[in-house]
Amino acid sequence: MSALRIALLGGDGVGPEVVSAVAPLLAVLEPDVETVELAMGFGCFEREGHALPPATIEGLRSCRGALFGAVGSPSHPVSGYRSPLLEVRRTFELFANLRPLVSMPGDGTIDAVVVRENTEGLYSGRERLEGEGDEAVAVAERVVSVRATERIVRAAATLARERLEQGRNARLTIVHKANVLRTSDGLFRETALRVASDFPELQVEEQLVDSMAYRLVLEPERYGVIVASNLYGDVLSDLGAALVGGLGVVPSANVGDRFVLAEPVHGSAPDLAGRGLANPIATARALAMLLERLERPAAARTLDRAIERVLLEGPRTPDLGGSATTREVAHCLLSLVERT
């Protein structure tokens, strides 16, 4: 089996803590893996003037995938700063963001995945300010294209078909707000339904995004694969995280045709940064997703089993009602993997 090169991108906030805690698992799971640490994030921007330095981009091009921690983008405009994560997604055509929502061990209520379009929508970065002072108006352009919609819905439908073959919930739910956003979401809806018709074996439905949020809480067991545009998918996956143990246990993978960037969903969590209390489970699960996508399924399964045991037996970080540190949970995972 050929050597595998994976980038480690700590980023901001708790990102470096969870990535460094989980990274040693790689050496045990896949001894042939080569890792390279690269800089990225708002802290990098403050130090070097680039949130995503050219050297980082070149380093990523030499890898097949990356494990990313978090980015701490400011909520106010900063001259010259753009989200490096959005730039990575666009540069490497990471068009699909996969966010599994799986119940905690012992509770089989939810087994779903949100498939989020990753390259356009309201996160396209096309914003402007018109006028000044009290007359100022901020305008954001929402971008929805046939190409990107076809691509994300086909990826979601293919995933649903795989789940159907595995005997898992494979219902494909197309989320939109076409009753109000008739042009942009109308195009998304029309294109999505057309692509879904190529998969006659699937049960397909559509759901308005506000009703979807309500029903996801009310009957989470109903859903299998949820496909949505960028903002809707972001919001719904965070809502779903509250149903499966919180942001500290939910991973995601940004997937393209040639590159995968896996990350925890929880973000930079500045209130926890430096305290050693961030839950590394989401990052460990992200690593398992990365290994699965890079065709190392045995390693992914080994890690998933270790994670399940820790979730069942502990130790647990404070977000799950325990008192363990980031390092203590990661060390337990490592011990379990080493004994496999």
Side-chain angles (χ1 to χ4, degrees):
M1 187 175 292
S2 61
L4 185 64
R5 195 167 196 238
I6 291 176
L8 302 176
L9 299 156
D12 300 313
V14 299
E17 299 173 44
V18 291
V19 169
S20 64
V22 166
L25 290 163
L26 269 170
V28 177
L29 290 163
E30 291 289 341
D32 68 321
V33 165
E34 177 188 355
T35 60
V36 55
E37 294 187 20
L38 300 172
M40 171 175 150
F42 187 65
C44 180
F45 173 79
E46 292 181 310
R47 293 190 304 270
E48 303 182 25
H50 295 279
L52 186 65
T56 296
I57 296 176
E58 288 307 305
L60 290 174
R61 292 192 192 281
S62 71
C63 298
R64 289 185 58 202
L67 182 65
F68 174 59
V71 64
S73 297
S75 56
H76 59 280
V78 175
S79 179
Y81 178 79
R82 294 187 62 183
S83 169
L85 183 55
L86 295 183
E87 190 173 345
V88 168
R89 288 170 175 168
R90 293 194 190 100
T91 300
F92 292 89
E93 282 289 295
L94 306 180
F95 63 90
N97 186 247
L98 309 181
R99 294 189 171 190
L101 300 173
V102 181
S103 295
M104 295 282 281
D107 174 11
T109 303
I110 310 175
D111 178 16
V113 58
V114 175
V115 181
R116 168 191 171 199
E117 202 290 314
N118 224 10
T119 63
E120 50 183 35
L122 273 173
Y123 292 178
S124 62
R126 288 161 61 164
E127 294 186 283
R128 64 183 183 275
L129 195 63
E130 299 178 351
E132 298 179 355
D134 293 341
E135 301 300 319
V137 176
V139 178
E141 294 183 357
R142 186 169 185 264
V143 179
V144 178
S145 69
V146 170
R147 176 178 177 270
T149 304
E150 285 180 339
R151 188 167 59 176
I152 195 65
V153 176
R154 193 165 300 280
T158 300
L159 178 58
R161 184 165 58 191
E162 292 171 0
R163 289 168 62 96
L164 183 65
E165 294 169 353
Q166 297 164 359
R168 300 166 69 189
N169 188 338
R171 182 194 304 267
L172 178 63
T173 303
I174 299 165
V175 179
H176 59 78
K177 190 65 176 174
N179 61 327
V180 174
L181 301 170
R182 292 186 174 87
T183 300
S184 56
D185 267 15
L187 179 64
F188 183 90
R189 173 184 180 271
E190 177 183 310
T191 305
L193 290 173
R194 174 171 53 78
V195 172
S197 70
D198 292 338
F199 297 79
E201 69 274 30
L202 297 180
Q203 183 178 1
V204 179
E205 66 177 16
E206 52 183 306
Q207 191 76 53
L208 297 177
V209 63
D210 46 349
S211 176
M212 180 69 207
Y214 173 77
R215 296 189 68 177
L216 183 59
V217 173
L218 191 66
E219 45 183 345
E221 69 283 351
R222 173 184 178 83
Y223 298 101
V225 178
I226 301 164
V227 61
S229 57
N230 210 328
L231 177 61
Y232 299 163
D234 196 3
V235 173
L236 289 173
S237 58
D238 277 17
L239 173 66
L243 304 174
V244 296
L247 293 173
V249 299
V250 179
S252 70
N254 301 274
V255 177
D257 293 330
R258 295 177 296 277
F259 192 85
V260 182
L261 184 143
E263 59 175 322
V265 170
H266 55 58
S268 62
D271 57 319
L272 291 178
R275 298 173 60 190
L277 298 177
N279 194 340
I281 292 294
T283 309
R285 279 180 158 171
L287 176 58
M289 290 184 74
L290 179 62
L291 290 167
E292 180 70 33
R293 284 278 160 179
L294 295 180
E295 300 178 346
R296 303 296 175 101
R301 286 193 297 270
T302 296
L303 181 52
D304 279 333
R305 286 194 294 267
I307 292 168
E308 182 174 355
R309 183 166 173 183
V310 168
L311 287 173
L312 277 170
E313 302 175 2
R316 301 184 180 92
T317 45
D319 60 306
L320 294 181
S323 59
T325 65
T326 306
R327 290 288 175 183
E328 286 170 343
V329 174
H331 179 73
C332 185
L333 286 171
L334 185 62
S335 297
L336 290 170
V337 168
E338 287 175 333
R339 295 202 299 267
T340 299

